[in-house]
């Protein structure tokens, strides 16, 4: 009996130790690279000073990375054959400034702590920093991710939300990543920053339905403004701000816009028009503190999606290439 008890204790201790190795921690680099967060923040600030696009580009890169293969920097891998994750149609619109931010931050970190900090963690830190530097909330991030070993364009389709999704489709794709409806709505608030190409919402202006070419859930004045910015057959490279009110500030204007029928994508406006999500949108529109709190919680949950820890994956030396 005593032997069985000892074995049970040993088993439990091993389980706890394994879990400890596989857990993320806010203090993961406290001894191995204590200045990593300040190094990354300095690079991010310098990059933002060069171009504002750094902010939405980095935040979107983090989201796209985590939703495919998990938060493992697989989206940053460059393939000479054009078949890496970043080459998938859904990722071709990711702005280069997001990639550049991570690559430059990694280079700076490598000078202080070679082969210690993963590209996945650097992207996580940078995504937090761009929000704070755009006027949004700052928060602590969990670290300890390792970089993934798979990056394939063929594995992207069906794993990212589309601009025409309804509420059920949005909830389903976020639930696959252990994110609930409140998380999904809060993360959608990141659309207060950044831009979208006209082709992503043109159907709401010119071909919504046989009876109504313009989406009736689109504010008529806003629709006219969008038509002026995005005439039919416009250059597909043309893009406009997703938040027409405060496009360079991280705030709750996105939700105020939804209440005023000024959501750019169908998948934005449906958050207000669907009664099942409307109350949360109204709450976030009226209470910026509630939105900020929900956004922080959702970002921390997002950062845990599909992470590789312990001995899984690797610590890339070059974020754009697997270690040889």
């Amino acid at each position: 009996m005593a032997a069985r008890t000892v074995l049970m204790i040993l088993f439990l201790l091993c389980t706890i130790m394994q879990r400890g190795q596989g857990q993320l921690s806010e203090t993961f680099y406290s001894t191995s690279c204590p200045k990593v967060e300040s190094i990354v923040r300095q690079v991010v600030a310098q990059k933002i000073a060069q171009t504002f696009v750094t902010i939405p580009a980095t935040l979107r890169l983090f989201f796209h990375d985590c939703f495919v293969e998990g938060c493992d920097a697989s989206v940053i891998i460059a393939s000479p054959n054009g078949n890496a994750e970043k080459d998938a149609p859904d990722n071709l619109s990711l702005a280069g400034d997001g990639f550049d931010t991570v690559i430059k931050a990694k280079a700076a970190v490598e000078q202080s702590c070679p082969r210690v900090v993963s590209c996945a963690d650097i992207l996580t830190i940078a995504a937090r920093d761009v929000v704070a530097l755009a006027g949004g909330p700052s928060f602590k991030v969990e670290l300890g991710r390792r970089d993934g070993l798979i990056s394939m364009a063929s594995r992207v389709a069906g794993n990212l939300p589309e601009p025409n999704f309804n509420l059920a489709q949005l909830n389903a794709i976020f639930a696959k990543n252990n994110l609930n409806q409140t998380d999904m709505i809060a993360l959608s608030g990141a659309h207060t920053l950044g831009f979208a190409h006209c082709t992503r919402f043109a159907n709401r202006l010119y071909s919504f339905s046989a009876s109504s070419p313009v989406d009736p859930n689109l504010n008529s004045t806003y629709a006219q403004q969008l038509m002026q910015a995005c005439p039919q057959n416009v250059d597909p490279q043309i893009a406009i701000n997703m938040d027409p009110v405060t496009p360079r500030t991280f705030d709750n204007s996105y939700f105020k816009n939804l209440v005023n029928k000024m959501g750019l994508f169908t998948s934005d406006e449906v958050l207000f028009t669907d009664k099942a999500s409307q109350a949360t949108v109204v709450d976030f529109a009226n209470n910026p503190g509630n939105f900020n709190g929900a956004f922080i919680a959702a970002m921390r949950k997002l950062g845990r999606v599909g992470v590789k820890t312990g001995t899984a994956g690797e610590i890339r030396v070059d974020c754009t290439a697997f270690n040889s």
Side-chain angles (χ1 to χ4, degrees):
M1 195 69 183
R4 283 182 65 183
T5 303
V6 170
L7 283 171
M8 278 298 292
I9 291 170
L10 285 171
F11 173 76
L12 287 170
L13 282 171
C14 286
T15 303
I16 290 166
M17 286 173 68
Q18 285 172 352
R19 281 182 183 169
Q21 288 173 349
Q23 285 180 339
L24 302 179
S25 165
E26 293 173 5
T27 58
F28 188 84
Y29 297 111
S30 60
T31 55
S32 60
C33 193
K35 294 182 179 179
V36 59
E37 292 190 52
S38 60
I39 294 170
V40 172
R41 191 180 184 91
Q42 185 175 9
V43 173
V44 170
Q46 290 171 347
K47 181 70 181 165
I48 291 171
Q50 294 170 2
T51 172
F52 173 81
V53 176
T54 300
I55 293 173
T58 305
L59 192 52
R60 189 163 175 245
L61 188 66
F62 178 61
F63 180 83
H64 278 234
D65 182 49
C66 292
F67 262 48
V68 182
E69 310 294 354
C71 307
D72 65 353
S74 52
V75 76
I76 304 176
I77 289 291
S79 165
N81 303 317
N83 59 358
E85 193 175 306
K86 68 183 289 189
D87 301 310
D90 283 343
N91 284 335
L92 291 178
S93 62
L94 291 171
D97 290 298
F99 295 93
D100 193 47
T101 299
V102 177
I103 292 165
K104 285 181 174 172
K106 171 67 170 175
V109 170
E110 282 294 300
Q111 289 186 342
S112 293
C113 320
R115 297 175 179 261
V116 171
V117 182
S118 68
C119 301
D121 275 346
I122 288 172
L123 176 54
T124 303
I125 296 167
R128 181 271 310 276
D129 289 347
V130 295
V131 169
L133 291 167
S138 188
F139 51 95
K140 292 184 178 180
V141 290
E142 296 170 319
L143 303 168
R145 296 164 195 77
R146 288 169 67 85
D147 298 319
L149 299 173
I150 297 171
S151 179
M152 297 170 61
S154 60
R155 294 166 72 114
V156 174
N159 288 309
L160 291 165
E162 297 292 340
N164 60 348
F165 270 12
N166 60 32
L167 185 65
Q169 291 171 310
L170 288 169
N171 278 332
I173 204 162
F174 276 75
K176 278 171 51 178
N177 296 290
N178 200 33
L179 296 161
N180 60 34
Q181 179 171 288
T182 302
D183 299 325
M184 180 270 291
I185 296 170
L187 290 170
S188 296
H191 284 176
T192 187
L193 300 166
F195 51 87
H197 293 91
C198 296
T199 50
R200 300 288 279 175
F201 56 87
N203 66 304
R204 298 190 72 198
L205 302 175
Y206 303 111
S207 58
F208 187 73
S209 69
S211 59
S212 176
V214 180
D215 185 343
N217 284 319
L218 196 56
N219 178 296
S220 58
T221 303
Y222 185 46
Q224 289 297 320
Q225 292 170 353
L226 292 175
M227 287 178 180
Q228 289 177 356
C230 297
Q232 283 184 286
N233 304 316
V234 71
D235 180 343
Q237 296 302 311
I238 297 296
I240 67 161
N241 291 323
M242 295 200 71
D243 177 355
V245 181
T246 57
R248 288 177 169 244
T249 304
F250 188 96
D251 56 21
N252 67 331
S253 286
Y254 168 82
F255 300 102
K256 296 177 181 178
N257 293 341
L258 298 188
V259 173
N260 292 322
K261 294 190 173 184
M262 292 168 62
L264 190 59
F265 295 158
T266 305
S267 58
D268 291 317
E269 196 56 50
V270 73
L271 301 181
F272 178 71
T273 57
D274 195 309
K275 298 297 182 187
S277 50
Q278 188 177 88
T280 304
V281 170
V282 172
D283 177 42
F284 289 171
N286 292 331
N287 300 288
N290 290 356
F291 163 52
N292 285 345
F295 182 80
I296 291 170
M299 282 288 282
R300 284 170 64 89
K301 282 177 71 174
L302 176 61
R304 299 175 191 137
V305 173
V307 295
K308 286 79 180 167
T309 57
T311 57
E314 64 182 10
I315 304 297
R316 266 181 237 151
V317 177
D318 173 0
C319 290
T320 67
F322 300 122
N323 294 343
S324 55

